[in-house]
Structure formats: C-alpha cells, structure tokens
Amino acid sequence: MNTIEVINLKKDFSIGKESISVLKEISFNIQKEDFVSIMGPSGCGKSTLLYILGGLDKPTDGVIKVNGKDLNKLSEKQKSIMKRREMGFVFQFYNLVPNLSVEDNILLPIILDKKGLKKYKKKLDDILDIIELNNKRKNTPRELSGGQQQRVAIARALVFEPEIILADEPIGNLDSKTGTEIMKLFKEINKEFKTTIVQVTHSEESAYYGNKIIRLKDGVILREEVVKESIRL
Ligand SMILES: Nc1ncnc2c1ncn2[C@@H]1O[C@H](COP(=O)(O)OP(=O)(O)OP(=O)(O)O)[C@@H](O)[C@H]1O
Ligand SMILES: [Mg+2]
C-alpha cells in the first residue's frame, strides 16, 4: 500500500471574482520510507500541495489517500487525530512558542493531545539526544540559533513517532552549513525510524538527500526523478 496516494488533484484559489488554477491534475505515489523533495519555481504551488497532503487545506478536486484512508472521507475529528499522531510538520520559520522552554515546545503536541506527560519523559530525553540539545532543554527559543530552533521544531514533529514528516523549506532560513546539518538530521530520521519524509525545497543540493524528486511547473508535474545516488551520511 502507498503511504500517500494523490489522484488527479486540483486546487483553484479565487481572488475576488477571478479564479486561479494552482494545481492541475497532479497524481503521484509516495511509499513508506521514501524521502521525497518537491521542487519548482516560486508560486508554482509547492506549499499548497504540501498543506493539502497534510490535511491543512482541501483540494478543489481529486483524491488524497494516506495509508489507504481517503482524507476527504474522514470526519474533522478523525482528520485532526491523524494530523496530530501520524504526521509531523516542520516549517521554514520554526513556529515555536517563544516563551516556552525547549522541553515544553517539544512536548506541546502531547500537552495539546491531553496525554499523560510522565510516559514521555524517556522519549523526551531520547529526542533531545537525537537533536543534540540536551544542554539547552530549559532555554527558550530566543536563546537559540536558527539551526537549533529548527532542531527543536523537528523534535516536536517527532514526538508522536509519526509515520510521515512534511517539511516546507525547512532550511530556507538557514545558512548553508546549518542547512546541511538539518538535512543530515532528516536523513538520519528517515533511515533510523523509517519515517517517510516529504520536503519542499529550493535547494538542489538538499533535494538530493532524498530518493525521489518531484518537479512542479505551471500546476503540473514536469518530471519525477528517482535519485540514484542520494547523499549519504
Ligand atoms: N489562500 C490563498 N488564496 C489565494 N491564493 C493563494 C492562496 N494560497 C496560495 N495562493 C496562490 O497560489 C499560488 C501558489 O502558492 P504556493 O504558496 O503554494 O507557492 P510555492 O510554490 O510554495 O511558492 P514559494 O516557493 O514562493 O513558497 C500562488 O500564486 C499564491 O499566490
Ligand atoms: Mg512555499
């Protein structure tokens, strides 16, 4: 079974009386453990596509299945449970809560899900080790560098051990050295936990950390590329 299946996806936006067709007849599949990079010019609909995959926006037409479940057929409640537990989101500008500590930012999905925090103590320690920020656990985001903040955001996305991570330009705001560190972290997560990763990126180099590249242009898939030699750790 495909982890994500997209069939004839269309997305129009209306601005005033005009309607623009951003995505037209997009179809593709993503398998478990794939690390897919979505690329294309600014405004071609990459973020729109990613948000639709994550159930954060609705398509105008077409079907999205996640682990065989048609997103459109789930109730709002089922969808929000799936978003929280099966998918982790990472954004360009980290989206951390400024006055919460690193720890609390990471545990936020658990707090919001009203889960017992105690059970997650060990998990939190493990995650802090993975992102190498154990020594900053009591600090707040403004005391961290951009790369460190993004690592916290990735940790927050990992807390429920999601099967899928969706990342929108996760290194778009970082210098190239820090960006490389973040890409290596994604790759490690992909290999170690077999997490399926879908990232949007403008960087050719970062795209090659994955095993598949989807190139969009003018609302259609220009080309799907299988990466033969992806960047190793
Ligand atoms: N909520 C909205 N209402 C109207 N138009 C929108 C909306 N969201 C996106 N658009 C339009 O859809 C098009 C695609 O936007 P999108 O953000 O998906 O592009 P992108 O490929 O992610 O671009 P970038 O690389 O600059 O982030 C743009 O023309 C944008 O103006
Ligand atoms: Mg975008």
Side-chain angles (χ1 to χ4, degrees):
M1 185 172 54
N2 292 306
T3 295
I4 299 177
E5 193 173 348
V6 176
I7 308 158
N8 294 334
L9 170 71
K10 290 194 195 108
K11 180 68 179 178
D12 304 333
F13 283 116
S14 40
I15 307 166
K17 279 182 194 149
E18 278 190 43
S19 168
I20 54 163
S21 176
V22 174
L23 301 171
K24 309 163 190 168
E25 302 277 349
I26 301 263
S27 300
F28 60 90
N29 293 322
I30 294 177
Q31 262 94 50
K32 185 163 173 53
E33 249 188 285
D34 266 349
F35 185 160
V36 180
S37 305
I38 299 173
M39 300 198 77
S42 181
C44 74
K46 303 179 295 298
S47 297
T48 303
L49 175 59
L50 196 77
Y51 296 160
I52 292 173
L53 297 183
L56 300 174
D57 198 356
K58 284 194 175 134
T60 307
D61 202 357
V63 175
I64 317 287
K65 288 185 185 170
V66 177
N67 288 323
K69 285 175 280 189
D70 185 338
L71 283 189
N72 219 6
K73 291 190 178 147
L74 299 180
S75 67
E76 282 307 312
K77 191 166 174 214
Q78 286 170 320
K79 212 156 72 170
S80 73
I81 291 172
M82 188 168 93
K83 274 189 291 206
R84 235 175 306 159
R85 308 232 179 107
E86 294 179 34
M87 295 178 176
F89 292 91
V90 177
F91 301 95
Q92 182 176 357
F93 296 106
Y94 330 128
N95 290 15
L96 300 175
V97 183
N99 52 355
L100 289 183
S101 66
V102 162
E103 279 185 348
D104 288 346
N105 264 291
I106 295 172
L107 292 174
L108 200 58
I110 311 282
I111 297 166
L112 294 176
D113 216 41
K114 299 190 175 66
K115 291 251 177 174
L117 275 179
K118 266 204 185 127
K119 280 199 310 212
Y120 286 89
K121 204 186 159 303
K122 165 91 175 56
K123 177 105 231 226
L124 176 66
D125 290 340
D126 292 347
I127 290 182
L128 282 165
D129 284 340
I130 295 169
I131 63 163
E132 296 176 16
L133 282 180
N134 228 318
N135 57 337
K136 301 266 185 202
R137 57 195 295 161
K138 300 289 179 196
N139 290 81
T140 57
R142 61 173 75 83
E143 296 164 325
L144 305 178
S145 70
Q148 290 171 333
Q149 290 184 58
Q150 191 60 301
R151 281 190 267 154
V152 176
I154 294 169
R156 179 186 54 192
L158 282 178
V159 108
F160 279 124
E161 299 177 23
E163 205 175 321
I164 305 166
I165 287 187
L166 301 171
D168 194 3
E169 297 194 42
I171 63 164
N173 202 37
L174 303 171
D175 63 78
S176 69
K177 183 171 166 282
T178 313
T180 301
E181 283 166 22
I182 294 293
M183 288 319 302
K184 286 185 171 163
L185 178 59
F186 276 118
K187 183 99 183 176
E188 201 181 308
I189 291 165
N190 173 241
K191 292 278 153 247
E192 194 91 353
F193 306 118
K194 309 197 184 311
T195 312
T196 305
I197 297 181
V198 186
Q199 69 157 346
V200 166
T201 183
H202 280 285
S203 149
E204 284 287 336
E205 196 191 328
S206 94
Y208 283 93
Y209 279 84
N211 66 325
K212 200 163 154 189
I213 302 176
I214 295 176
R215 296 185 191 271
L216 292 182
K217 202 183 172 197
D218 301 328
V220 298
I221 296 181
L222 198 64
R223 187 148 51 90
E224 249 189 82
E225 190 178 325
V226 174
V227 178
K228 289 209 184 75
E229 286 214 28
S230 65
I231 298 174
R232 296 213 191 97
L233 284 174

